[in-house]
Amino acid sequence: MTTAIKENIAADDMDRANFYDVDAIRDDFPSMSLEVNGHPLVFLDSGASAQKPVQVLQRMDRAYREEYANVHRGAYKLSELATENYENARATVAQFMNAGSPDEIVFTRNATAAINLVAATYGREFLGEGDEIILSQMEHHANIVPWQMLRDEKGIVIKVAPIDDDGNLLIDAFAELFGPKTKLVAITHTSNVLGTVTPIKEIAALAHANGALVLFDGAQGIVHAGIDVQDVDADFYVFTGHKLYGPTGIGVLYGKQELLKKMPPYQGGGDMIELVTIEKTTYREPPARFEAGTPPIIEAVGLAAAIDYVTAIGQDAIAAHEGGLLAYATQRLSEIDGLTVFGRARQKCGIVSFTIDGVHPHDIGTIIDSRGVAIRAGHHCAQPLMERFGIAATARASFGMYNKKEDVDKLVDSLLYAKEIFS
Ligand SMILES: *Cc1c(COP(=O)(O)O)cnc(C)c1O
């Protein structure tokens, strides 16, 4: 962490917002100058998908124009170049997560596909009747439904670690869920609804002490907190490109090499085989084994460009900036009568969920959109979490590196306007 950032963290949280040159960053994002409904766009839905900097767009454009062919096949220059780009992207991802080797990085379609891959391969092969897995109460449906499908197929048992009213994982209650049949913990690194950052190192240590593996859903976590998979000792870690300022259509499964090697193939097809006869097929080593068919070639290039961009600005700087916005937003929102914030965890990133008495979250979303303010309203693919709080939906503002204090002010103004309409 640079000294500049350290000083900023030591300073009052709120002063951290806009501490870097946020306008210079905004200039890199074409969508930041859009107008929506006659108002400048205030984009507060990066938790659903982040906007893209020109560095990503231009890199992908160039790859399509000048470096395009299928990978791993042609014995010609363009195909070699495309292959090199694709494999370099894998190395960039590996370095970004501090994986031991690029061979531990499997490219998928998104985070959802990465979790399904683990459930369908590791899960089907190594989990059986009565084996237990532990999830938490704040999982995204992507980290619930694949395990339920496995439960219905194999008879595994799903246990759920509770959270407190502030959205902190109850670590003692979590620890009590382990038993001799616990095989896997699958938990989010960061809640997409509450913003809670979970103690992943402690979770991994507890899992390992109990002879279980651990999978982290890092779709939000890698964006807001970063990840060092070796330091955390994660067995699996998944994330999705589009929330990290990269393109849609690409996700990542990190898996420890010895685990990936033990896992059977997922989908069958081209590129994942060693030798095929009509009688039988032998499979390539990971990660190729898990990448059947033409992979997301240009998306990988775009993801690598996004990672380079994020790295150049600095994840610590981005986290500090967003932390400042969060503190400022939390304070400004508390000025609104009848507004309740859900999620006040000790470790929290730039996501704020809230409700306003007498106004449905969807109506909040629609009304403030008329003022150019884009937020999310709904259950955020986390219905069990909604149930935990006894609500059907929340409104959610989530910050990206390009947001600024003025965005929070516009959010608050537009919320007051929405309240007025409903009063
Ligand atoms: C967005 C999200 C996912 C799913 O990401 P996809 O890109 O839709 O696969 C999973 N978990 C969390 C916590 C998320 O925020």
Side-chain angles (χ1 to χ4, degrees), residues 47-48 110-113 115 140 142 188 190-192 217 219-220 240 242-243:
N110 49 31
T112 305
I115 297 172
H140 188 283
T188 195
T190 294
S191 162
N192 62 310
D217 173 357
Q220 302 289 341
T240 197
H242 66 96
K243 292 181 185 174

Side-chain angles (χ1 to χ4, degrees), residues 94-106:
Q95 197 178 22
F96 186 61
M97 308 176 80
N98 195 29
S101 149
D103 291 342
E104 298 183 316
I105 304 300
V106 179

Side-chain angles (χ1 to χ4, degrees), residues 83-248:
T83 305
E84 202 178 293
N85 282 343
Y86 183 66
E87 293 306 327
N88 282 346
R90 198 190 302 282
T92 300
V93 171
Q95 197 178 22
F96 186 61
M97 308 176 80
N98 195 29
S101 149
D103 291 342
E104 298 183 316
I105 304 300
V106 179
F107 284 128
T108 63
R109 188 163 50 86
N110 49 31
T112 305
I115 297 172
N116 275 278
L117 194 164
V118 176
T121 59
Y122 182 84
R124 277 210 190 118
E125 183 80 8
F126 297 106
L127 301 182
E129 179 87 35
D131 282 340
E132 295 170 5
I133 70 170
I134 301 175
L135 313 178
S136 88
Q137 250 174 349
M138 56 187 158
E139 296 312 312
H140 188 283
H141 294 164
N143 197 29
I144 300 174
V145 184
W147 306 115
Q148 288 177 338
M149 291 165 76
L150 189 68
R151 176 195 63 196
D152 295 345
E153 186 184 319
K154 305 279 288 190
I156 63 166
V157 175
I158 296 174
K159 297 195 160 184
V160 180
I163 57 172
D164 68 16
D165 289 342
D166 288 337
N168 294 297
L169 184 73
L170 289 165
I171 201 88
D172 292 340
F174 166 64
E176 279 170 21
L177 295 177
F178 285 93
K181 304 224 74 175
T182 309
K183 293 284 163 64
L184 178 74
V185 173
I187 268 185
T188 195
H189 181 182
T190 294
S191 162
N192 62 310
V193 180
L194 305 174
T196 306
V197 180
T198 57
I200 50 175
K201 219 168 156 168
E202 203 178 334
I203 291 169
L206 264 169
H208 294 152
N210 285 281
L213 297 182
V214 64
L215 175 148
F216 292 112
D217 173 357
Q220 302 289 341
I222 199 165
V223 183
H224 299 287
I227 184 68
D228 178 334
V229 286
Q230 293 192 72
D231 179 55
V232 169
D233 200 14
D235 298 298
F236 299 107
Y237 189 99
V238 310
F239 75 94
T240 197
H242 66 96
K243 292 181 185 174
L244 190 61
Y245 309 99
T248 55

Side-chain angles (χ1 to χ4, degrees), residues 44-48 190-197 219-221 223-224 243 322-323 325-327 329-330 333 341-345 348-354 376 380 394-400:
L44 295 172
D45 195 23
S46 298
T190 294
S191 162
N192 62 310
V193 180
L194 305 174
T196 306
V197 180
Q220 302 289 341
V223 183
H224 299 287
K243 292 181 185 174
E322 290 176 357
L325 289 171
L326 174 68
T330 306
L333 290 173
V341 169
F342 290 87
R344 294 179 177 278
K348 193 179 162 177
C349 71
I351 293 174
V352 200
S353 275
F354 58 90
R376 192 74 153 190
H380 315 290
T394 69
R396 179 190 73 182
S398 52
F399 302 113

